[in-house]
Amino acid sequence: MTDRPLSLKKKITRFFKEKLTPSGYASRDHFEEILLEVGRTLSLDELLVTCPRNISSALHLSSFHILLREDSDYVPQGAARDLTSGFIFPASSATILRLKRERRPSPFKKHTPDAWQLLASSHEIAALNALGAQLLIPFEGRTGLRGFATLAKPEGKHFLRHELRFLRELSQQMGRGLETARHVKSLSEEAVNRAKVTRELDLAREVQERLLPQSLPAVPGIDSAATYKSADEVGGDYYDLFITWKGLLCCVVADVSGKGIASALLMATLRASLRSLMINHREDPVTAVIEDLNRLLYEASAASRYATLVFFVYDPTAQTLTYVNAGHNPPLLLNDSEVTRLECGGPVLGLLPDATYEEQTLAFNPGDTLTIYTDGITEAINSRGVEWEEQGLLAAVLEQNSPSAAAAVQDILFSLHSFASGTPQVDDMTLLVLRRT
């Protein structure tokens, strides 16, 4: 019959019954309680405060200082930092090598040094002297030496045999306790970080939702519809339609690099800047607006941040579309079953402060349809990993014979979903259709 594993309390009680000398029975209950408390403590901060206080009281110590492993070094904690002037014990130091090899309390002798002390650097010896070390206690866990402590008694006092046995048991108990406390602290920090990320994503999502138009403006002769689907909690796509003071219809679709709050804020900058520029550049060409927008984004964003963008201005009087394409996927203009890819423009926004752009003006006649999209549409994949590509979108544009812009959007999405067959997509999808009625 297999014996059941002993509980922590029974292990400690057996330890003292088997190994405690008669002179130590008076302190047995106190020692047992200290070891049990170390085993129960899950807070690293509490462990670093409670343990020294209780052990110092039980053993009548004059000093007790803890050093913990951080990466590959052993760093003094609390007041020990000031005493050692910030000195840390490298993993290769003689002190650490001694503790790893012996794995039990080791004396530190000032007047008759042991062999390991002769190998120690002058900085190690100075630090141990500053800590008042008389005894070094390793904290050995399952993953190696988690830290150690320096202990000392008042002058003329020495550690008794039963005290050394207690400290040897404390060495292992404290090592396991430090491992557990570190793990609990790590889990707690991860939970805090996750909560912080969640709050940032909620904020970014709120910013993004407010940026997207809640309704599309009504312009005589124009039928418009749009759809947006984020592949992540917060996407990088953006679209907007608004009317200027002269009655011009402005239409923009953009794809901001990255995800999360940074992209949402860059998107907000782009939207506000573009609307402001269209008010201030009342008579300037579209290229001037985009060049100023590029400089503003360059100054407002990090070096790795940029945006692709295509910007259209529809003049209802002239019935024309003037556009600039800043590194974006070419929109498709359908006219009498003929499709034109609109590529005129320049580089992406936000990378080159002095980039220049070209604009193009086209007739936008009744029956014409303009399809604007982001790369999440053409890069949609099916179960075999094959992309839909521009050819798939082009075929859908040519095949659909929808009575409205909204129906055209739905027909294109139906073709896309039929191709993808339920395969999850990895990028945001934005699709906007303008049709002359």
Side-chain angles (χ1 to χ4, degrees):
M1 182 176 179
T2 304
D3 294 335
R4 291 184 176 179
L6 295 176
S7 66
L8 175 61
K9 185 171 184 179
K10 288 183 178 179
K11 284 183 179 180
I12 293 170
T13 303
R14 175 178 289 185
F15 167 81
F16 282 111
K17 284 182 178 179
E18 292 177 352
K19 298 188 176 182
L20 202 62
T21 59
S23 60
Y25 278 114
S27 302
R28 183 185 67 185
D29 292 342
H30 196 179
F31 289 167
E32 284 186 7
E33 185 58 35
I34 291 174
L35 293 175
L36 285 170
E37 186 173 1
V38 169
R40 291 192 297 257
T41 302
L42 299 179
S43 167
L44 182 61
D45 293 336
E46 186 178 345
L47 201 60
L48 296 179
V49 172
T50 304
C51 178
R53 183 176 62 237
N54 291 344
I55 294 174
S56 296
S57 174
L59 300 181
H60 307 290
L61 301 178
S62 58
S63 70
F64 187 110
H65 298 293
I66 292 178
L67 297 88
L68 295 183
R69 187 175 78 194
E70 296 181 7
D71 295 327
S72 59
D73 299 321
Y74 292 79
V75 180
Q77 306 295 306
R81 291 194 187 94
D82 298 329
L83 294 173
T84 59
S85 300
F87 177 76
I88 60 176
F89 288 78
S92 59
S93 63
T95 302
I96 302 304
L97 293 177
R98 163 77 176 187
L99 292 171
K100 287 182 176 180
R101 183 174 62 253
E102 294 295 324
R103 304 175 68 177
R104 61 182 179 180
S106 298
F108 177 73
K109 303 175 182 178
K110 295 182 179 180
H111 305 296
T112 56
D114 288 340
W116 72 269
Q117 294 177 229
L118 299 176
L119 298 175
S121 69
S122 59
H123 296 294
E124 288 179 70
I125 299 301
L128 292 172
N129 282 327
L131 294 171
Q134 184 180 348
L135 193 67
L136 307 181
I137 307 298
F139 297 147
E140 189 75 26
R142 297 178 181 85
T143 58
L145 187 68
R146 304 297 304 181
F148 70 97
T150 65
L151 289 70
K153 284 204 167 191
E155 189 174 352
K157 300 293 183 178
H158 302 283
F159 289 94
L160 303 177
R161 183 177 299 175
H162 72 277
E163 293 175 332
L164 291 174
R165 285 175 176 163
F166 159 68
L167 290 173
R168 190 166 184 173
E169 180 69 12
L170 175 72
S171 170
Q172 298 178 7
Q173 192 67 21
M174 191 70 174
R176 291 191 290 268
L178 286 171
E179 282 181 335
T180 301
R182 285 278 196 189
H183 184 61
V184 170
K185 185 176 182 180
S186 176
L187 292 176
S188 177
E189 290 173 348
E190 287 179 8
V192 170
N193 289 334
R194 282 197 300 270
K196 182 180 178 181
V197 169
T198 300
R199 287 195 299 272
E200 288 185 350
L201 289 175
D202 289 342
L203 176 60
R205 191 183 303 110
E206 182 180 349
V207 170
Q208 188 176 52
E209 288 174 353
R210 291 183 178 181
L211 292 178
L212 299 176
Q214 303 304 305
S215 61
L216 302 184
V219 177
I222 293 293
D223 181 20
S224 60
T227 184
Y228 166 80
K229 181 181 179 181
S230 174
D232 208 340
E233 292 181 342
V234 180
D237 283 6
Y238 153 72
Y239 75 90
D240 193 14
L241 288 91
F242 59 95
I243 301 174
T244 70
W245 67 280
K246 290 179 64 176
L248 303 176
L249 174 64
C250 297
C251 173
V252 57
V253 173
D255 188 352
V256 177
S257 64
K259 307 290 182 187
I261 187 67
S263 295
L265 292 176
L266 184 59
M267 197 182 298
T269 301
L270 188 153
R271 178 183 184 274
S273 299
L274 182 57
R275 288 190 170 219
S276 175
L277 288 169
M278 283 305 297
I279 292 174
N280 295 326
H281 291 69
R282 297 190 175 188
E283 303 296 338
D284 291 346
V286 175
T287 50
V289 173
I290 299 303
E291 287 169 3
D292 280 358
L293 180 63
N294 173 65
R295 280 189 288 271
L296 288 171
L297 286 184
Y298 178 83
E299 294 170 0
S301 61
S304 60
R305 294 287 179 181
Y306 63 91
T308 68
L309 171 144
V310 61
F311 180 55
F312 287 87
V313 176
Y314 171 68
D315 186 340
T317 302
Q319 299 185 11
T320 57
L321 280 174
T322 301
Y323 79 93
V324 172
N325 188 332
H328 197 77
N329 302 84
L332 304 177
L333 179 60
L334 176 63
N335 183 347
D336 293 331
S337 299
E338 181 180 342
V339 174
T340 304
R341 301 170 75 251
L342 306 183
E343 301 179 278
C344 182
V348 300
L349 301 178
L351 287 185
L352 304 172
D354 299 319
T356 59
Y357 297 85
E358 296 180 6
E359 65 182 53
Q360 185 177 17
T361 300
L362 303 167
F364 196 41
N365 300 314
D368 291 355
T369 300
L370 176 65
T371 303
I372 314 171
Y373 61 97
T374 57
D375 55 9
I377 296 289
T378 51
E379 292 177 3
I381 58 175
N382 61 15
S383 58
R384 296 171 298 179
V386 178
E387 291 187 356
W388 201 38
E389 298 183 337
E390 188 183 85
Q391 293 303 315
L393 174 61
L394 182 59
V397 169
L398 289 172
E399 290 172 3
Q400 56 90 13
N401 186 23
S402 310
S404 66
V409 168
Q410 294 304 315
D411 287 347
I412 293 173
L413 290 179
F414 179 80
S415 298
L416 172 59
H417 295 325
S418 296
F419 168 82
S421 300
T423 304
Q425 302 307 310
V426 297
D427 201 1
D428 309 325
M429 294 181 178
T430 299
L431 180 64
L432 191 152
V433 171
L434 292 183
R435 173 173 287 181
R436 271 297 313 278
T437 59

